[in-house]
């Protein structure tokens, strides 16, 4: 089992996260932001990870620190669980529909952080979450997991659908990238390391 527990405490947020890459989609998530919980629940179930997460953040300010710091901690846990990346596919992608919305996600566990985020929301908030925090979350994940992460909205639509399709397509792309291929006996890189 590839599991990691990460704890991060600052004056702005206190976060405890446990990630199992080889899970079955079990989620136990409380961040204080209901829509964000819903997104992370979808990520966990559709990536077939197990994720336990408790976040106590300064929501009296806004949802920024809570969501950004959760991204940092999740990215850290992804990097830890992926380990030396021996035998895994490294690349993963998914084009995921959610009714009218269609979203592409591609990841490379390259050891280099990069985010390409091509999508926009037409409302400032989705439920109790600021729409602009969707990008901030994925930026934090990509940076702390040191992965290339491309998200592209191919067909826009309802804001809830677009955000949810982003989290689910990311889950499925990541699940593919961390999965083992028996033909890959070492690290899938001409450099010999990732
Ligand atoms: Mn939904």
């Amino acid at each position: 089992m590839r599991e990691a527990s990460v704890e991060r405490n600052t004056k702005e947020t206190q976060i405890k996260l446990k990630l199992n890459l080889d899970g079955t989609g079990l989620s136990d998530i409380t961040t204080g932001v209901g829509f964000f919980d819903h997104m992370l629940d979808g990520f966990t179930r559709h990536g077939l990870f197990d994720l336990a997460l408790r976040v106590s953040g300064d929501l009296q300010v806004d949802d920024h620190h809570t969501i950004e710091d959760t991204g940092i901690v999740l990215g850290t846990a992804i990097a830890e669980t992926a380990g030396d990346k021996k035998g895994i596919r490294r690349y993963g992608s998914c084009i995921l529909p959610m009714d009218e919305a269609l979203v592409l996600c591609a990841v490379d566990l390259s050891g280099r952080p990069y985010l390409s985020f091509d999508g926009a929301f037409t409302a400032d908030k989705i439920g109790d979450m600021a729409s602009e925090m969707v990008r901030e979350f994925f930026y934090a994940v990509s940076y702390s997991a040191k992965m290339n992460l491309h998200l592209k909205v191919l067909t826009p639509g309802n804001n809830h659908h677009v955000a949810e399709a982003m989290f689910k397509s990311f889950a499925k792309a990541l699940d593919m990238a961390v999965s083992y291929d028996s033909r890959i006996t070492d690290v899938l890189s001409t450099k010999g390391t990732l």
Side-chain angles (χ1 to χ4, degrees):
M1 288 284 185
R2 293 174 288 174
E3 285 183 317
S5 293
V6 181
E7 202 169 333
R8 185 180 191 272
N9 295 296
T10 71
K11 285 180 183 168
E12 295 170 343
T13 60
Q14 297 83 49
I15 301 176
K16 274 179 101 158
L17 180 148
K18 188 174 178 192
L19 173 70
N20 178 3
L21 281 187
D22 303 303
T24 57
L26 296 175
S27 68
D28 177 12
I29 294 165
T30 307
T31 67
V33 182
F35 186 75
F36 189 41
D37 289 356
H38 180 48
M39 293 299 100
L40 293 173
D41 189 38
F43 162 79
T44 304
R45 284 179 197 280
H46 292 279
L48 298 168
F49 311 122
D50 292 340
L51 181 63
L53 174 64
R54 288 289 175 278
V55 184
S56 176
D58 56 355
L59 292 173
Q60 77 283 1
V61 177
D62 63 11
D63 57 1
H64 196 109
H65 304 135
T66 294
I67 293 168
E68 181 179 43
D69 293 358
T70 300
I72 291 170
V73 172
L74 180 62
T76 303
I78 291 168
E80 267 187 39
T81 48
D84 61 9
K85 302 174 194 167
K86 273 195 179 124
I88 65 169
R89 290 190 163 85
R90 174 183 168 183
Y91 296 98
S93 62
C94 176
I95 297 175
L96 192 131
M98 185 148 188
D99 297 344
E100 79 294 342
L102 190 65
V103 170
L104 174 155
C105 180
V107 306
D108 176 10
L109 301 178
S110 58
R112 299 183 306 273
Y114 192 90
L115 175 71
S116 171
F117 188 94
D118 182 4
F121 296 101
T122 56
D124 291 342
K125 290 196 101 175
I126 314 171
D128 55 352
M129 177 169 166
S131 304
E132 63 181 2
M133 288 313 300
V134 175
R135 185 191 185 283
E136 295 306 306
F137 170 77
F138 285 114
Y139 176 75
V141 171
S142 67
Y143 194 85
S144 51
K146 297 189 179 73
M147 64 165 70
N148 289 180
L149 170 55
H150 287 247
L151 277 161
K152 190 177 182 66
V153 178
L154 301 176
T155 311
N158 175 276
N159 289 296
H160 184 127
H161 288 164
V162 169
E164 190 163 335
M166 283 180 173
F167 278 80
K168 288 179 177 174
S169 61
F170 172 58
K172 298 197 76 67
L174 180 63
D175 183 42
M176 184 191 292
V178 299
S179 66
Y180 289 107
D181 183 325
S182 60
R183 295 168 298 177
I184 305 168
T185 54
D186 204 338
V187 175
L188 191 59
S189 166
T190 50
K191 291 197 295 281
T193 183
L194 285 171

